[in-house]
Amino acid sequence: MTEAPLLDVAGLSIRIDGTARDLVSDLSFTLNKGETLCIVGESGCGKSLTALALMGLLATPPLRVTGGTARFRGDDLLTLPPAQMRKLRGDRIGMIFQEPMTSLNPALKIGDQIAEAVRRHTELSEADARAHALEMLRRVRIPAPETRLDVYPHNLSGGMRQRVMIAIALANTPDLVLADEPTTALDVTIQAQVLELMRNLQRDTGTAMILITHDLGVVAEMADHVAVMYAGQMVETGPVAAIFDDPQHPYTIGLMSSMPGLDGGSDRLVTIPGVVPPARDMPGGCRFAARCPFADAQCAQVPPTTSAAGNTSHRVACWKAPLEQQEDAA
Amino acid sequence: MIRHDIILETQALQKRFAGRKPFFGEAKVVRAVDGINLKVRRGETLAIVGESGCGKSTLARLLVRLMPPSDGTVVYEGRNIANIAPEEMRHLRRDLQFIFQDPFSSLNPRMTIGALIEEPLRVHKFGTKQDRRVKVAEMLARVGLPASVIDRYPHEFSGGQRQRIGIARALITGPKVVIGDEPVSALDVSIQAQVINILQDLKDDLGLTLVIIAHDLAVVRHMADRVAVMYLGEIVEQGPVADLFANPKHPYTAALIAAIPVAEIGARHAATKLEGDPPNPIDLPTGCRFHPRCQHATQICQTNRPALDGTGPDRWAACHHANTLSLQGYIGSGHSRSPTTQARFDLYRAASAVLPPQDQKTTT
Amino acid sequence: MSNPDTFQTAPSRQTLSEVLPPKRSRVWAKLKKNPAALLGGGIVAFFCLVAVLAPVLPIPGPAVTDFMAVRKPPSAAHWFGTDEIGRDVLSRMIWGAQASLMAGVVSVTIALAIGVPLGVAAGYARGWTDAAISRVTEALLAAPFLILAIAMAAFLGPSLTNAMIAIGISAVPIFIRLARAQTMQVLTEDYVEGAQAIGLTHRDIITRYILPNIVPPLLVQATLTIATAIIAEASLSFLGLGQQPPSPSWGSMLNTAKQFLEQAPWLAMWPGIGIFLVVLGFNLLGDGLRDALDPRDN
Amino acid sequence: MLRFIGHRLLIAIPTILLISVFVFLLQKLLPGDPVLALAGEDRNPEMLAFLREKYHLNDPIYVQYFNWIWNALQGDLGISLRTNQPVTTLIAQKLPVTIQLAVMALFFAVIIGIPAGILSAYKKGTWIDWVANIVALSGLSIPNFWLGIMMILLVSVNLGWLPASGYQPFTDDPLQSLKTMMMPAFVLGTGLAATLMRHTRSAMLGVLQSDYVRTARAKGLGERSVVVKHALRNALVPVVTVVTLLFGELLAGAVLTEQIFTIPGFGKLVVDAVFNRDYAVVQGIVLCTAIAFILMNILSDALYRVLNPKMSDQ
Amino acid sequence: MKKPTVLTLSAMLMLTAAPLFAADLKIGLAEDPDILDPDQSRTFVGRIVYASLCDKLVDITPDLEIIPMLATEWSWSEDNLTLTMKLRDDVTFQDGTPFDAEAVAYNINRSQTLEESRRKSEVASITGTNVVDPTTIEISVAQPDATLMAQFADRAGMMVSPTAAEAAGVDFGNAPVCAGPYSFTERVQQDRIVLTKFAEYYNADAYSFDTVTFLPIVDTTVRLANLRAGDVDMIERLAATDVASVSADDGLTMEQATSLGYQGLTVNVANGDKAQNPFGQDKLVRQALSLSIDREAVNQVVFEGAFAAGNQPWPPTSPWYNKDLPIPARDIEAAKAKLAEAGVESPTVEIQVSTDPVAQQVTQVIQAMAAEAGITVNVVAKEFATQLSQQTAGDYEISQIGWSGRVDPDGNIHQFVTCEGGINDAKYCNLEVDQLLNDARATNDTAARKALYDQATAILDEDLPLIYVYHQNWIWAMDAGVTGFAAYPDGMIRLAGVSKAE
């Protein structure tokens, strides 16, 4: 740990104008060069907002960053002036979105859409940018890339489009890629192809990645570190092995329990009862309390503090962790 | 072998969609469902899996005649519903129900929950208004919603709750067969588990026959008794779920299984056994439709279309090499949780089971 | 974070329903937050009120003439001045509001009454019904509105009622098109398939599923068309085919006033302002409704 | 594309026939005897009878229709009862005038409406949006005839900048022609600009929320590039369709505008013809505008296909 | 480079030289004229164009005296059955065809025999023509016809070129050729009619403009705006309500003359079932309505006093006006008494009126006035074509309509009130009136005619099939630089002596 982390997010909070509590609350994590951090959580947990906030692409208003810093190579991404942020975006930080069907401009040829990202951040001529775009298509392993430069997005399948998105995000060899559910919309076979591609590209370029997903299977495949989010709060974070082998937070455990396994077992699935609290009305204490089988009055009223769990980088925000001790005490 | 009681059966079922007619020549035809023979046994859960565009949703709709087939028969309890009179079909619908994929869009936003769930009863002229209200309240309780939601509108509910409403609506007429088109795939994991449990409970309680369309193999593995794997409008493999997962006979099935990312550390990486995208259903490959993506394809695969043949007890596969290939099925990582961790999981299981599985505590 | 003030009792396990207000009030809540829509609604409400109250307001009759006070500018006796033959302009504005609003509302009602059933039929039945209705719609659209309206008004005889009928019929194709497109849109919704899966009859599907769901866009279009219709009445008045003397409508007042733009500019000013405000009101309201009914924006 | 256009032209034929029957019936139903209307003050019964005979007004209506359509198919639309001029000559005389008015009005509508729409969508919820909307709504709510007269009084009478009315053929004196048409085109264009602005605004609002605009921003593109290259391009697809569809509104608006500015175009011709019961002229003009309208519709759909790569491939 | 030929040189010369001498007069008309064939045309406004395009056999003075034009002198035979006219010998038509007695004979024949001729009734009395010599023609009539000379002072007297008329036939109006000071150059319907000075005109010096352009501008406000903006030099039919502002404008001048026509109410007395109402059936009720109207107030309110109140087919300024019947003062009590006498205390009647705002204002004022006498008037606006046809068909109770006026009194009364009158929409029929009016036609003695008309108007004033209300003034407004214009009660624009300061 001689080097400072590539990205150091501390206390990031996001709020909808006119609501009482932060939607994303006091989020902190770090990411080192070349590493992959998976942010995992169910819909509405604020994981996409976090990524957008880091990109400076939050829809303001009504969404607004209300606190925290995000230091990236010396700059605070949350307070950087828009013009400088634009210089970073697409150059040092790339982003891959969930919906490959809608994230590409339907009216522009894909070659132009890649070349545009290159031209924006380099001095390359139009021809060179085009050559670079071709190279990128080749690197994301799109078959017959020469002919694909001049087609429109609708001519491509979902998997191919997501490869194009990856090409755009990686066109300027960024230090950091934010990938927001990049494979959720894809078939499982295509998902496997795309994940493999991302792994390989990351290995080749040394790019760090924040991968946002709700699929623990994808997490297990891709992550070095994991951050589990629930209702805008980070409930547990740590190295991937720690999260899978030593989950501490009831939500993490519940999430893992409720996944049907591939090795059969016709037992009833374990569930997390209830629903996620609405975005405009977050509860005051532990946000998971209402759904937690272990919660008591303290949980409902006081936000839990984050504590280390064994491994120093494995941290959990729960009054009851580790569970077995609580149960013993009871 | 037990002689199974077949409740729903298709023969040579086809659905073709006409594409846009080009300036010259004939219009292209999309063969969404192309000659499917399927037997659904009374009381079982049959899963139909496949990638998007393989025709599984079309097949689901053909099974309950939400669209008319182009060819072939669908026989329900001895009656061919493929060419039945519309009025008669309307009456049959109390027996054949459908659960839709998207709980956000499959409920009329302008009707109350009560009206939505009651509607099938009203259509099929069940009892008096009062009887129906009672039945609706009962049904709501069964899917774990308080009776007080009866006058609310769908948008006031979360996805999981809406899917429960959809299930209540489908089951209220006491159907014999329920087709679920991806009934849980739009839901978050925690909610998905709730809904899967409800479906299973109801199936057991009501003695339903379930046909589940799904792309998530884990869900299929959990819910189904038997599985049919579809590829480009055809069934390529069929068999009991455990056997099929353990010993796939068709390379496509094996590839599907291999592609699933497993939520375990140290599990094998999801493998890319399949290159490229599924071909366009307009320009179908000759021979075996899977051959362009198949590692094991040989000359014969390019020319001859394999039939769905028996490969073992209750097992069928449409592959020229089904009996010679030895394909990898699902194998766990062998990695097991530490005792502490396992204890934690057990604690959770125990604690959450104490809570009613649904949010019946909801105050209203 | 642990500010004691934020402490509260444990939230009960609640459904979203308690948190999200019911839909209707959500629309209302969104409207309330939209100052433009409120302003529009306020303007419309004000003029409606004035129009309805015309008979009981302490104003002279709209046809009462004072030949001693012809084309007199606004004064204490006549706040809005007097018109070309000595009638009180304020009174005529108020009574004219009745005619102009009626022109808007009635003609749009006519257009809705004819257009929506045809549009729904076309969109639902497709095939020959659709082809036939679409051809008629196209034909109606291709005959320019004013020509159609002039011919209709000339055919039926110039009167406010007939102008409303003419304007209404001219607006029919808009509603056929919209209802047809919306019906086809709704038909692609999963819930219609759901209705079929339950075994609903066509009639039930149309009345319970399609109509309720195509109402919001039709409502928005209707408010916009009301505005257009008010102007159309004014235009027909310009051609002498609208409200008949001595009853006032803003359109006919404006039409007469253009003779006196120099001698008596207030004659054109008041109805001009009236039309502008009402059209503005309806448009703002329509915009607001559209925004409020759009689930995408929160 | 060819096939598409061919198909559309084919189905336009019944529509046009329908319109012709419709208009024919409508004007036959009109009260008022055309001959009497034309006679004006001098109403001599024998003369009226003679004229009725001369113009076959006593024939059964279907005979009149078939005669008319038969001649129309041969390019003869009859003669004006009022001035004895062939209707085709009148159309040839008036068409360029109205086209010039329409084109110039569209020009005004586009240069006002589209930028205003973009700005208002981009600055949604700000005072700029507010002002742009109010101005656009003013454009919609001020009757053309009123704005027209006011502008004549202001611009021509008080300021003396532009001629008050009249028409100069473009071919005779382009500059003067543009000057005479400037005001009417502006008056006609403002109403359309409002419509256009609103369509642009709502299209832009949709597009600005789209994922690909977010992608463009994620590339670090500047806002101008995001708006113009990525957003506008897609927003224009529906807007261009609207522009061509505005043609119908344009024709209707032209009727009044031509009336006020005394422009000898289609609109004025047809209004006078209706009032004078000059059937042949009404019929000819409506047929002509209907064809133009349908052609514009086809053009609009074709344009939509060209602009939208998704459609053009299919 | 080719050498410029003489031809191109001269063409260039003409191009450069022409504007120096070109003086164009632009006149804003209130309507677009119909077909420009004197034998076929119907509109008042068309006659304004003819005043510069087509000379007539005779003309009138502002005082309605008939004076020579193409005919230099004329005389009736003893029996009043033959009219002998001497013609000018220095006239050619604009196509070069000489004007002579043959041409006159041709024109009269054309008026009588062209199928589409609207002049047939005006020259119906003519039985034949006799060309005595190139400058002398004899016209014989079936019975004495006092109106004939007045007809020759209007469209029936306009001479068209026989050559051109023969060649063009019924389409003559598309390119008319006459013998007036200006020849036809071009016409764009609803836009302009351009006339160019005819150099060989016998009195060419009296005309100072090289071209005259008539621009139809229907809207009165816009027409005046065009004048103010300098886009036209002169307009006709200025709105009465604009008189004040034009007088106040130093840049503009104004001329006016009371018209020969009238405006009033035509009551359906016997034209079908709609006549079955108190107003149609009882002259007392009509008298009551007439008494309830304050004619001077109508003029003041609607026209700011610019027009003339009236109660006869011709205005008080006319030599034919019956001075024994002055304009009645309004008398509500008398009106009520008449109603009581008729036994209808509060009758209701429907007055149909055109969509013209001015006509509507007049009717609304009458409506308000009648209400005070207990008469309920419902105003029903009819688009003009409908009004006309319903009026002809008898589908009306009272119709507000007017008449632009003719030079001879006969043209303003005979066809409206005689039993077989062509435009007798009231279907009024009184044999005594028929007799008086027919007699007035048959004598050339002005005093005798006056006496006959006085008797007829007295009867009509009692029977009131037409309630005359006011007489329009023709008001011309022009740029102050336009001088020499003389107002005529026939509403024409005669350009002799008119000039424009540059």
Side-chain angles (χ1 to χ4, degrees), chain E residues 409-420:
Chain E
D410 178 80
N412 301 323
I413 186 165
H414 191 278
Q415 49 195 334
F416 299 99
V417 294
T418 51
C419 297
E420 298 301 319

Side-chain angles (χ1 to χ4, degrees), chain B residues 163-183:
Chain B
Q163 196 56 293
R164 291 176 195 202
I165 294 163
I167 291 170
R169 195 174 191 225
L171 298 189
I172 195 155
T173 55
K176 306 216 167 44
V177 179
V178 174
I179 316 287
D181 182 14
E182 307 259 14

Side-chain angles (χ1 to χ4, degrees), chain D residues 237-308:
Chain D
V237 175
V239 171
V240 166
T241 338
V242 170
V243 170
T244 47
L245 287 179
L246 278 181
F247 187 70
E249 243 176 89
L250 212 57
L251 288 178
V255 172
L256 281 181
T257 314
E258 289 179 6
Q259 202 77 4
I260 293 153
F261 290 95
T262 334
I263 295 166
F266 260 37
K268 195 165 157 48
L269 185 64
V270 81
V271 171
D272 287 1
V274 170
F275 285 146
N276 288 308
R277 303 294 188 270
D278 202 340
Y279 288 170
V281 177
V282 176
Q283 185 78 1
I285 297 254
V286 170
L287 186 75
C288 192
T289 49
I291 291 173
F293 180 83
I294 286 168
L295 286 180
M296 284 304 277
N297 260 328
I298 295 175
L299 178 72
S300 134
D301 286 0
L303 206 60
Y304 183 79
R305 280 155 182 270
V306 170
L307 280 173
N308 190 347

Side-chain angles (χ1 to χ4, degrees), chain A residues 43 157 187 189 196 247 272, chain B residues 51-52 188 194 201 272 277 344:
Chain A
S43 41
S157 67
D187 269 315
T189 52
E196 187 178 333
I272 304 175
Chain B
E51 290 173 285
S52 45
D188 271 321
Q194 296 169 3
D201 294 348
T272 318
D277 299 321
R344 232 175 263 154

Side-chain angles (χ1 to χ4, degrees), chain A:
Chain A
M1 286 287 161
T2 50
E3 224 178 321
L6 177 71
L7 176 68
D8 185 354
V9 177
L12 172 63
S13 297
I14 301 168
R15 184 177 294 200
I16 307 178
D17 287 349
T19 56
R21 294 202 172 83
D22 289 331
L23 194 55
V24 170
S25 167
D26 199 19
L27 199 67
S28 305
F29 59 85
T30 59
L31 179 65
N32 292 320
K33 202 170 175 301
E35 277 183 357
T36 299
L37 170 73
C38 276
I39 299 181
V40 65
E42 292 178 288
S43 41
C45 72
K47 51 194 196 294
S48 293
L49 288 185
T50 304
L52 291 176
L54 295 178
M55 288 293 279
L57 291 177
L58 267 191
T60 310
L63 295 166
R64 206 174 292 281
V65 171
T66 49
T69 55
R71 304 217 75 85
F72 174 75
R73 304 196 325 164
D75 297 317
D76 180 4
L77 296 180
L78 303 181
T79 54
L80 209 60
Q84 274 180 277
M85 195 63 219
R86 274 200 288 275
K87 280 189 187 157
L88 280 184
R89 272 205 302 263
D91 186 31
R92 295 301 89 221
I93 312 177
M95 186 153 179
I96 302 166
F97 296 97
Q98 172 174 0
E99 278 294 339
M101 295 298 175
T102 55
S103 295
L104 292 171
N105 192 330
L108 296 177
K109 294 171 181 169
I110 62 161
D112 294 340
Q113 297 195 48
I114 303 172
E116 178 184 55
V118 179
R119 298 254 295 158
R120 166 75 179 96
H121 298 287
T122 63
E123 301 294 312
L124 255 50
S125 70
E126 211 169 310
D128 290 347
R130 191 175 157 86
H132 188 75
L134 179 62
E135 172 57 24
M136 287 312 297
L137 285 183
R138 211 168 264 141
R139 285 178 61 189
V140 296
R141 309 221 327 258
I142 283 186
E146 297 83 358
T147 60
R148 302 296 170 99
L149 272 180
D150 291 319
V151 304
Y152 290 96
H154 69 91
N155 297 117
L156 300 178
S157 67
M160 289 300 153
R161 286 191 218 186
Q162 199 58 304
R163 287 168 193 263
V164 173
M165 272 307 295
I166 294 170
I168 290 173
L170 297 181
N172 294 314
T173 340
D175 300 317
L176 173 63
V177 168
L178 302 177
D180 185 3
E181 305 259 17
T183 58
T184 304
L186 304 176
D187 269 315
V188 63
T189 52
I190 310 300
Q191 166 172 289
Q193 295 171 4
V194 170
L195 290 179
E196 187 178 333
L197 172 73
M198 286 168 66
R199 248 189 335 254
N200 294 340
L201 287 172
Q202 196 184 6
R203 194 184 52 219
D204 298 347
T205 57
T207 299
M209 177 157 69
I210 295 178
L211 177 66
I212 289 164
T213 180
H214 68 277
D215 186 339
L216 288 170
V218 172
V219 176
E221 295 254 321
M222 303 289 291
D224 298 312
H225 289 273
V226 181
V228 182
M229 282 183 77
Y230 181 80
Q233 289 176 325
M234 177 135 14
V235 294
E236 188 165 1
T237 176
V240 66
I243 297 294
F244 277 95
D245 292 341
D246 183 25
Q248 297 272 338
H249 197 282
Y251 177 65
T252 317
I253 298 168
L255 206 55
M256 288 179 175
S257 303
S258 50
M259 288 181 55
L262 269 174
D263 35 15
S266 54
D267 292 349
R268 288 174 60 82
L269 290 170
V270 173
T271 65
I272 304 175
V275 293
V276 181
R280 287 178 174 272
D281 198 11
M282 287 292 177
C286 170
R287 291 182 178 178
F288 187 58
R291 299 177 72 186
C292 180
F294 306 102
D296 58 17
Q298 183 198 25
C299 297
Q301 286 166 15
V302 189
T305 51
T306 306
S307 57
N311 185 323
T312 48
S313 68
H314 185 189
R315 298 172 73 81
V316 62
C318 176
W319 293 122
K320 304 286 184 187
L323 286 177
E324 60 275 13
Q325 285 172 16
Q326 296 287 327
E327 286 302 304
D328 292 346

Side-chain angles (χ1 to χ4, degrees), chain C residues 63 65 67 70-71 84-85 87 92 154 158 238-241 244-247 255-256 258-263, chain E residues 219-221 224 228 241-242 245 301-302 304 355 357-358 360-361 364-365 367-369 379 381-383 386:
Chain C
T65 41
F67 298 136
V70 176
R71 292 189 290 276
E84 71 279 1
I85 60 171
R87 295 172 296 203
R92 290 182 71 74
F238 173 72
L239 298 170
L241 301 173
Q244 293 309 304
S247 310
N255 179 30
T256 329
K258 71 178 164 45
Q259 277 180 270
F260 308 108
L261 281 177
E262 284 180 86
Q263 310 98 300
Chain E
D219 191 283
T220 49
T221 314
L224 176 57
R228 289 222 158 106
T241 44
D242 284 325
S245 86
V301 168
V302 183
E304 296 188 336
T355 51
V358 170
Q360 295 196 354
Q361 283 157 32
Q364 288 178 82
V365 170
Q367 179 186 38
M369 289 171 165
V379 180
K382 295 276 160 69
E383 179 251 345
T386 311

